[in-house]
Amino acid sequence: MSLEVCGGKPLKGEIAVHGAKNSVLPILSATVLRAGVCVIENCPCLRDVHSAITILEHLGCRVHREGSTVTVDASTLHTCSIPDAMMREMRSSVIFLGAILARTGCAELYLPGGCELGNRPIDLHLSALRCLGAEIEEEGGHICCKASCMVGREIQLSFPSVGATENIMLAATAAKGTTRIRNAAREPEIVDLACFLQKMGVSIRGAGTSEIEVDCVEKTQDVIHRVMPDRIVAATYLIGAAMTGGDVLVCDLVPEHVATVTALLECSGCNLDIDRDKIRVRGTENLKSCGTIRTMPYPGFPTDAQAPLMAYATQCAGTAVFVENIFDSRYRHVSELTRMGANIQVVGRVAVVEGKSPLSGANVSASDLRGGAALVLAALCADGVSRISEEKYIDRGYESIENGFSKLGAEIIRKGE
């Protein structure tokens, strides 16, 4: 399978943003905490969501999807182990660790898989759980956790890891007393998870700040929760409209969540009209360089938007410099962009993009989720036809990306071998 894109057409129209991948995955894992029913609305149809549902079903949960609503009944959970093959499907599978441990007092799983973005150890996750009282044994990628009695502690994270913060929040629901997370991640997805847990009956304070407190909960309740919109998908559509010289209204988003992206688009010459839950972007022919972009934890510029914005920078006059501070191997899309005609040089964590590159259609391959999205954006601007293989990576975080861009007038289809 591949995505075939015929470039050169400005994007025009209106598009709604689906639920956030990075929010729904920890929320699905959190349903394990409740021996009852949780209803998740605005749940996107993604490969990673399918993988998470497969794990829930393996654990014994009854899961039913109807449209964008997923209902999870975790009262029938009967195992605390996740096999290696399921863990390898996605990086976020590690988030089940804290939830299973809190529910059953034990958890057995393997190191997670997902996109190859360099070294992403889960040491922060494991050390935090040990701090709460869990006994953890590691051998050959196999992780065995036991926690007969967890106790709330103060946990100081050396880095504001989103996954570690989420795992601590989930495990802390079963830790006697209060758990305090210092240098916690501040991402909107953390706030969404906290909102879900609060509906369940968990007392949480400080989500969205660098210090979060979680109290042990004795009794939970059934939950109905609507997942927040995906800020990276929103950014992708905004960038696509801008770099094709289009005119697009992106709806069902939270403007604050994409503020670092929209600020760069405005700085480079785009016209933006920002409303309460929608943004209209109108591109121009005279886009200029975004300058230096440094990826940082929220509220800084998101690493997930680095690759899409790099594709955008190829169409802006001047030089753009990207500094990747989160992952050590997140420039794998560069070689494919250069195959299309982009002028990009990489030295370590720094990538220098010389703009106004005339892009041409080419056969390219996605190597990760966001890098794949960058190739789609570049193909929309390229002269001729591009074929993007390994589109399965893109499907991890975009719900039928070809349908979304087709609604905006793009010539993009999915083709079989």
Side-chain angles (χ1 to χ4, degrees):
M1 298 286 287
S2 64
L3 294 172
E4 186 173 284
V5 185
C6 184
K9 297 188 66 175
L11 300 180
K12 294 183 179 181
E14 182 176 323
I15 189 76
V17 177
H18 61 64
K21 174 185 87 79
N22 290 335
S23 182
V24 72
L25 296 179
I27 286 173
L28 284 172
S29 71
T31 63
V32 170
L33 297 172
R34 166 70 180 159
V37 177
C38 296
V39 178
I40 315 300
E41 300 175 338
N42 198 31
C43 182
C45 187
L46 308 171
R47 286 189 72 228
D48 275 12
V49 170
H50 175 74
S51 296
I53 289 175
T54 300
I55 290 175
L56 286 171
E57 291 174 333
H58 168 80
L59 293 172
C61 302
R62 290 192 290 261
V63 185
H64 174 72
R65 176 189 274 276
E66 186 172 342
S68 62
T69 299
V70 172
T71 302
V72 181
D73 181 354
S75 62
T76 52
L77 184 137
H78 58 65
T79 183
C80 64
S81 67
I82 304 175
D84 188 21
M86 291 184 184
M87 290 295 298
R88 288 178 181 272
E89 286 296 312
M90 62 174 182
R91 168 69 180 177
S92 299
S93 57
V94 73
I95 203 64
F96 279 92
L97 177 57
I100 296 173
L101 196 62
R103 171 74 181 275
T104 69
C106 60
E108 185 177 351
L109 41 74
Y110 294 80
L111 290 177
C115 292
E116 294 295 331
L117 301 178
N119 188 29
R120 297 194 288 180
I122 63 169
D123 296 355
L124 289 179
H125 303 240
L126 301 184
S127 62
L129 295 179
R130 286 190 174 105
C131 184
L132 293 178
E135 297 177 2
I136 304 176
E137 295 182 0
E138 303 174 67
E139 184 177 356
H142 178 244
I143 302 170
C144 184
C145 305
K146 294 181 180 180
S148 56
C149 182
M150 289 192 291
V151 179
R153 295 276 191 264
E154 181 174 303
I155 299 174
Q156 176 76 38
L157 292 176
S158 59
F159 178 83
S161 162
V162 174
T165 300
E166 292 167 341
N167 249 331
I168 298 167
M169 290 168 64
L170 294 171
T173 62
K176 292 181 179 180
T178 300
T179 298
R180 293 180 179 85
I181 312 169
R182 297 189 183 277
N183 197 27
R186 300 164 57 188
E187 273 73 1
E189 294 81 7
I190 296 289
V191 178
D192 205 22
L193 174 61
C195 181
F196 175 84
L197 292 174
Q198 287 168 341
K199 291 178 181 178
M200 189 177 275
V202 180
S203 177
I204 296 182
R205 300 167 296 280
T209 73
S210 58
E211 185 170 323
I212 300 175
E213 292 185 347
V214 185
D215 293 334
C216 179
V217 60
E218 298 294 335
K219 186 178 180 180
T220 59
Q221 58 195 25
D222 291 349
V223 176
I224 299 177
H225 181 77
R226 182 175 179 82
V227 176
M228 60 170 272
D230 196 306
R231 58 194 174 105
I232 306 303
V233 170
T236 302
Y237 286 130
L238 292 170
I239 291 170
M243 67 189 293
T244 62
D247 185 349
V248 173
L249 182 65
V250 183
C251 306
D252 296 342
L253 53 70
V254 181
E256 180 185 353
H257 293 174
V258 293
T260 54
V261 175
T262 54
L264 289 170
L265 293 180
E266 285 186 312
C267 183
S268 66
C270 292
N271 298 308
L272 274 73
D273 297 319
I274 302 176
D275 205 343
R276 184 178 63 88
D277 62 350
K278 62 190 70 172
I279 298 176
R280 181 185 180 188
V281 58
R282 286 166 289 169
T284 67
E285 294 183 356
N286 301 310
L287 296 174
K288 58 184 179 181
S289 167
C290 301
T292 299
I293 300 96
R294 295 180 173 85
T295 63
M296 299 290 289
Y298 192 86
F301 186 83
T303 181
D304 282 353
Q306 175 254 107
L309 195 75
M310 186 178 292
Y312 175 75
T314 68
Q315 301 306 294
C316 299
T319 302
V321 178
F322 289 80
V323 183
E324 176 55 58
N325 292 307
I326 307 300
F327 296 123
D328 57 10
S329 183
R330 199 151 203 179
Y331 289 141
R332 298 179 70 189
H333 53 282
V334 169
S335 61
E336 302 302 283
L337 288 175
T338 56
R339 184 186 293 266
M340 300 176 73
N343 185 352
I344 307 172
Q345 301 296 322
V346 175
V347 179
R349 291 181 177 268
V350 178
V352 180
V353 183
E354 296 296 339
K356 280 298 181 183
S357 301
L359 302 180
S360 300
N363 293 333
V364 292
S365 178
S367 59
D368 64 82
L369 167 56
R370 306 307 175 184
L375 297 180
V376 172
L377 292 174
L380 293 173
C381 294
D383 180 24
V385 176
S386 297
R387 294 177 181 84
I388 304 166
S389 61
E390 296 297 328
E391 82 293 344
K392 64 183 181 181
Y393 290 107
I394 302 172
D395 294 339
R396 290 188 53 234
Y398 294 85
E399 190 176 77
S400 300
I401 194 169
E402 71 275 17
N403 291 341
F405 279 119
S406 291
K407 289 179 182 177
L408 301 176
E411 290 188 31
I412 174 173
I413 60 174
R414 190 178 297 249
K415 300 190 71 174
E417 295 295 341

